[in-house]
Amino acid sequence: MRTTKRFTPKVLEKFRKLDRGTGKHANYIPWHRVSRSDPASCGRSHLLNWCGRQRELLSDGELVMTLFITMLPHIDDLREQFPLSLKTAQHEINEYDPKANLAGLPGTQDIASNLGYKHPKVTGEGKGHSAPWVMSTDFLLTLKHADRTPELLAIAYKKTKELNKPRTKELLAIEQAYWQARKIQWLLITPEQFDKRIGLTLRRAAPWALGEQVPQNLLLKIADIVKAQPEQSLTSTLQSLCAVTGEMDLAQRALWQAVCLGYLPIDLTRCWRPHLPLRNLTQSAFLAQNPIAMRRSAWI
């Protein structure tokens, strides 16, 4: 698929005119998209349907992070490729809680200047034509707790080797300071923060876990059945569940949705081989498999 070759001031202005980086829930438009009009990403891109909107992910790592995010118990919204304000701006929480009315927060240009770093920029076709680059955070989550109070959580994903580059560290420091100025927790996730086997399991299970939603009462019933038959192989487990649901696709969706919603805590490091058993875990051990739920973060 042919894409725009590179970022220029004209490309960024086009993004603004298209309202990129605005909205929430199903109406949110990512700043960077998987489309013909966007320069190609360095990694393998993915499109993932979840909660009424197509999620636009620029790498395998971002796909795994999204699958971890869908498992969070209080997740209300996920905005990927979220743009950071260049100049002084309102707080991002205002979108969900207008009564907060927080404003006057520094943009990335002031933050970069205060840190003594050059702000990134893009150049155009003409000599001397440049514009400040719009930085972005990979994921901005909105969590809603029991009292309905919204909480924002910002997440950046990077491969471990990228942290060896001085310029990458500077850009991450600007991003971190941006969210610190807003009193929003910022996590830097690398492959070191989770077992890669868990990511592979989630990717294999995603078509069922994110498929047509299974009623909660059936999920709870399925969870009880599996818990009562510990150490059974995946094949035997699905055969037992199929006898209850009447069809294998529904059995698969019920099993993996029960797992990802936390009703059925199992060891996600299991190999793909269907003859191997499903091993039950305690709720705390199950939660510990998710680096975002545990708020684990790498150091810059």
Side-chain angles (χ1 to χ4, degrees):
M1 181 175 70
R2 187 187 307 170
T3 63
T4 300
K5 290 185 178 181
R6 67 186 183 92
F7 288 104
T8 64
K10 186 181 294 185
V11 170
L12 298 187
E13 185 57 34
K14 179 182 178 182
F15 285 4
R16 293 188 183 93
K17 290 179 180 178
L18 292 172
D19 290 329
R20 296 277 191 99
T22 65
K24 60 181 180 178
H25 298 297
N27 295 320
Y28 174 70
I29 305 173
W31 179 251
H32 297 291
R33 305 194 69 178
V34 181
S35 72
R36 287 180 183 273
S37 61
D38 286 43
S41 64
C42 295
R44 179 166 48 189
S45 299
H46 299 271
L47 298 173
L48 181 71
N49 285 310
W50 180 64
C51 286
R53 182 171 66 78
Q54 185 171 265
R55 313 290 156 163
E56 312 211 22
L57 312 168
L58 305 184
S59 68
D60 290 346
E62 288 191 10
L63 172 61
V64 173
M65 290 302 102
T66 302
L67 297 175
F68 276 128
I69 289 167
T70 64
M71 297 171 67
L72 299 178
H74 302 296
I75 185 69
D76 178 66
D77 197 6
L78 161 61
R79 292 181 285 179
E80 73 276 18
Q81 324 306 340
F82 186 85
L84 310 185
S85 298
L86 286 167
K87 300 179 180 180
T88 302
Q90 295 186 349
H91 197 294
E92 286 73 9
I93 200 69
N94 290 356
E95 188 79 13
Y96 299 89
D97 184 9
K99 294 180 181 178
N101 196 29
L102 300 173
L105 297 161
T108 55
Q109 289 181 303
D110 285 340
I111 289 172
S113 177
N114 292 337
L115 291 174
Y117 299 145
K118 288 184 178 180
H119 193 283
K121 66 179 181 179
V122 293
T123 57
E125 289 75 12
K127 185 177 180 180
H129 186 205
S130 66
W133 169 252
V134 177
M135 298 180 64
S136 61
T137 285
D138 294 328
F139 304 100
L140 183 61
L141 314 187
T142 306
L143 306 173
K144 284 282 184 73
H145 299 288
D147 62 357
R148 305 303 296 166
T149 301
E151 174 195 3
L152 299 186
L153 176 65
I155 301 170
Y157 176 81
K158 285 287 182 287
K159 293 181 179 178
T160 305
K161 64 181 181 181
E162 293 182 80
L163 300 185
N164 296 326
K165 302 175 183 178
R167 182 54 173 165
T168 298
K169 289 185 176 182
E170 290 181 358
L171 296 176
L172 287 172
I174 295 171
E175 182 180 342
Q176 181 183 40
Y178 180 94
W179 294 115
Q180 285 178 337
R182 288 152 173 77
K183 294 182 171 56
I184 293 173
Q185 186 175 8
W186 177 80
L187 303 179
L188 173 58
I189 307 292
T190 73
E192 305 298 320
Q193 273 66 59
F194 62 95
D195 191 316
K196 70 176 182 180
R197 293 175 296 177
I198 298 173
L200 291 173
T201 297
L202 293 179
R203 289 181 65 175
R204 287 193 295 267
W208 298 296
L210 302 180
E212 184 180 350
Q213 192 169 356
V214 177
Q216 185 184 43
N217 62 336
L218 180 55
L219 294 180
L220 294 173
K221 182 178 181 179
I222 292 300
D224 288 340
I225 291 172
V226 178
K227 288 176 184 177
Q229 302 173 347
E231 301 300 324
Q232 275 206 9
S233 70
L234 176 58
T235 298
S236 296
T237 298
L238 286 171
Q239 288 173 345
S240 298
L241 299 183
C242 189
V244 175
T245 63
E247 56 176 292
M248 183 55 72
D249 178 68
L250 180 54
Q252 289 271 26
R253 285 188 285 118
L255 173 67
W256 291 110
Q257 288 179 27
V259 170
C260 290
L261 289 173
Y263 301 142
L264 178 59
I266 65 168
D267 182 358
L268 295 173
T269 64
R270 71 179 308 279
C271 174
W272 65 269
R273 300 181 188 279
H275 72 275
L276 295 177
L278 293 176
R279 188 166 70 87
N280 295 337
L281 294 180
T282 64
Q283 196 66 45
S284 59
F286 176 74
L287 199 63
Q289 297 177 110
N290 189 328
I292 298 173
M294 299 304 292
R295 306 287 177 102
R296 289 196 289 269
S297 183
W299 293 89
I300 299 176

